[in-house]
Amino acid sequence: MARVKRYAVAASGQWTDEEEGRRLPSGEVHAWEPGHNETVCGLSLSRSRLVRFPHVGWPDTFPESGGAADRVRRLCPRCASVAGRRGPDARPRWHRTNPRP
C-alpha cells in the first residue's frame, strides 16, 4: 500500500496572526517535506532563503481553504503538480478512456 506523504510549507515571507499568535506563510509558497533541505520542486531552502513552516500543511495554503492562505500571493506550480492541487482550477487526473487490447 502506498504511503500518503504529508507536505509542509516553505515560503518567501512570514507574518504573525494577531488572534492566534502563530507564524504563517506569505509571498510565494512551496511544498516541503520535513527532514529534507529542499522543496518538492528542487529549490534549496537555505540558498533560496525560504522560511520553513512545519506546522502549516500544504492544503492550508490554497485560497479556498481560508486558514493560512490570507497573505499567500503565489503557489509554486511545480510544487502544486507534485504535492497536489485540488480546487476549482485543477485539471482532472489523467485517465485512459480507450485502452488498446
Side-chain angles (χ1 to χ4, degrees):
M1 185 186 292
R3 188 185 81 137
V4 177
K5 291 187 177 183
R6 303 275 183 214
Y7 294 103
V9 175
S12 61
Q14 68 179 351
W15 66 286
T16 304
D17 185 14
E18 295 174 3
E19 294 175 4
E20 297 179 15
R22 65 182 202 158
R23 295 180 318 118
L24 295 173
S26 67
E28 185 172 355
V29 176
H30 296 269
W32 165 62
E33 201 171 352
H36 294 265
N37 289 329
E38 64 181 14
T39 63
V40 175
C41 66
L43 290 177
S44 172
L45 292 173
S46 60
R47 289 186 182 187
S48 301
R49 297 187 182 192
L50 295 174
V51 182
R52 298 174 181 113
F53 296 92
H55 59 281
V56 178
W58 174 248
D60 292 337
T61 60
F62 301 156
E64 60 272 5
S65 72
D70 291 342
R71 296 193 185 168
V72 171
R73 298 287 177 233
R74 181 177 183 265
L75 292 172
C76 172
R78 292 185 292 173
C79 289
S81 69
V82 174
R85 173 74 171 103
R86 296 287 155 231
D89 63 338
R91 291 183 289 180
R93 292 186 176 171
W94 183 83
H95 184 335
R96 177 173 288 184
T97 57
N98 190 8
R100 291 188 276 181

